[in-house]
């Protein structure tokens, strides 16, 4: 009899909603927020995610069954920093169940799992590993102050030519930085605006 391997991951929350950010903005998706992050962004709006031990371990099968209750077939793995975990079993099970697998990551840990869409959102507090840059389908840079544009360009120069480029205002600084982003995109049209739509339509 073959051995049954049970793989578990710490899940902070999971929910079916509308993707609010980036290239897939507006599409129905099931979010799986894994616990654990060591990046330490000062403006992080999910600080409760940082300590993985605070979040219950869920079997992969239970996680996928939760997603499969809904008709959408995009599963977005977020965090926390999801690449602190081996995502291979989870993405394998999601693919078997017919999902497209998306990840939102800072890239600060080695890539694991098979991904249909990698959204790389590099953070100043812990740099992404160079290996993820050519794999990113989308580069989403959060703009907190005007020096961040130059920092964003550093990564834009290292991603693949097909990678979509997004600038997103940091929520608490949105009033100050949104006009700067608009001007920057008008001058540098390879970039697009990412709005955090979910915060305007009041969905998670
Ligand atoms: Fe928060 Fe994400 Fe930064 Fe981690 S990488 S501290 S979860 S914003």
């Amino acid at each position: 009899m073959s051995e049954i391997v049970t793989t578990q991951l710490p899940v902070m929350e999971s929910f079916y909603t509308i993707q609010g950010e980036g290239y897939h903005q507006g599409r129905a998706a099931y979010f799986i927020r894994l616990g654990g992050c060591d990046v330490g962004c000062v403006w992080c709006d999910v600080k409760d995610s940082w300590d993985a031990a605070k979040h219950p371990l869920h079997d992969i099968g239970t996680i996928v069954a939760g997603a499969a209750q809904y008709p959408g077939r995009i599963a977005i793995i977020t965090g926390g920093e999801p690449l602190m975990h081996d995502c291979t079993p989870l993405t394998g099970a999601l693919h078997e169940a017919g999902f497209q697998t998306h990840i939102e990551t800072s890239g600060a840990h080695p890539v694991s799992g098979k991904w249909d869409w990698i959204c790389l959102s590099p953070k100043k507090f812990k740099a992404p590993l160079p290996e993820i840059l050519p794999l990113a389908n989308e580069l989403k840079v959060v703009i907190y102050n005007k020096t961040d544009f130059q920092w964003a360009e550093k990564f834009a120069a290292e991603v693949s030519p097909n990678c979509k480029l997004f600038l997103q205002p940091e929520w608490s600084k949105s009033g100050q930085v949104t006009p700067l982003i608009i001007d920057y995109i008008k001058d540098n049209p390879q970039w697009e605006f990412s709005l955090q739509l979910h915060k305007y339509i009041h969905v998670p």
Side-chain angles (χ1 to χ4, degrees):
M1 201 168 80
S2 64
E3 189 188 354
I4 296 171
V5 178
T6 305
T7 309
Q8 298 181 312
L9 289 166
V11 178
M12 177 177 169
E13 58 179 349
S14 49
F15 48 91
Y16 186 54
T17 187
I18 301 288
Q19 165 63 296
E21 303 181 1
Y23 185 75
H24 293 284
Q25 186 193 68
R27 300 187 71 187
Y30 189 80
F31 279 73
I32 300 164
R33 186 183 305 286
L34 300 182
C37 186
D38 62 357
V39 176
C41 304
V42 289
W43 40 259
C44 178
D45 58 3
V46 281
K47 288 188 170 130
D48 274 354
S49 70
W50 291 6
D51 182 1
K54 276 171 60 178
H55 304 290
L57 291 170
H58 290 218
D59 290 339
I60 300 287
T62 308
I63 298 171
V64 176
Q69 295 177 77
Y70 301 99
R73 283 296 172 267
I74 296 174
I76 301 179
I77 316 306
T78 187
E81 173 40 69
L83 291 179
M84 288 183 74
H85 309 281
D86 179 2
C87 291
T88 310
L90 177 58
T91 53
L94 285 166
H95 277 146
E96 262 180 44
F99 284 88
Q100 286 178 36
T101 57
H102 294 198
I103 187 169
E104 301 197 339
T105 176
S106 69
H109 289 268
V111 178
S112 60
K114 289 245 184 311
W115 300 104
D116 298 302
W117 192 266
I118 295 178
C119 173
L120 171 64
S121 186
K123 303 295 182 335
K124 280 187 168 162
F125 311 92
K126 189 166 183 174
L129 301 176
E131 68 185 47
I132 198 170
L133 288 158
L135 304 177
N137 300 99
E138 171 179 356
L139 174 68
K140 185 174 68 191
V141 180
V142 175
I143 299 295
Y144 187 74
N145 63 45
K146 61 181 184 222
T147 64
D148 291 340
F149 293 108
Q150 208 178 359
W151 188 75
E153 292 293 357
K154 185 169 86 96
F155 294 106
E158 294 179 58
V159 294
S160 84
N162 297 326
C163 183
K164 306 286 180 190
L165 305 177
F166 288 93
L167 298 172
Q168 180 173 295
E170 194 280 317
W171 183 249
S172 71
K173 293 274 179 160
S174 185
Q176 291 109 294
V177 298
T178 293
L180 304 180
I181 297 174
I182 292 168
D183 285 346
Y184 193 86
I185 292 174
K186 284 160 76 180
D187 289 341
N188 300 276
Q190 69 275 25
W191 291 94
E192 295 179 45
F193 199 101
S194 175
L195 188 61
Q196 293 197 294
L197 175 72
H198 54 295
K199 293 189 178 177
Y200 292 90
I201 61 174
H202 307 294
V203 297

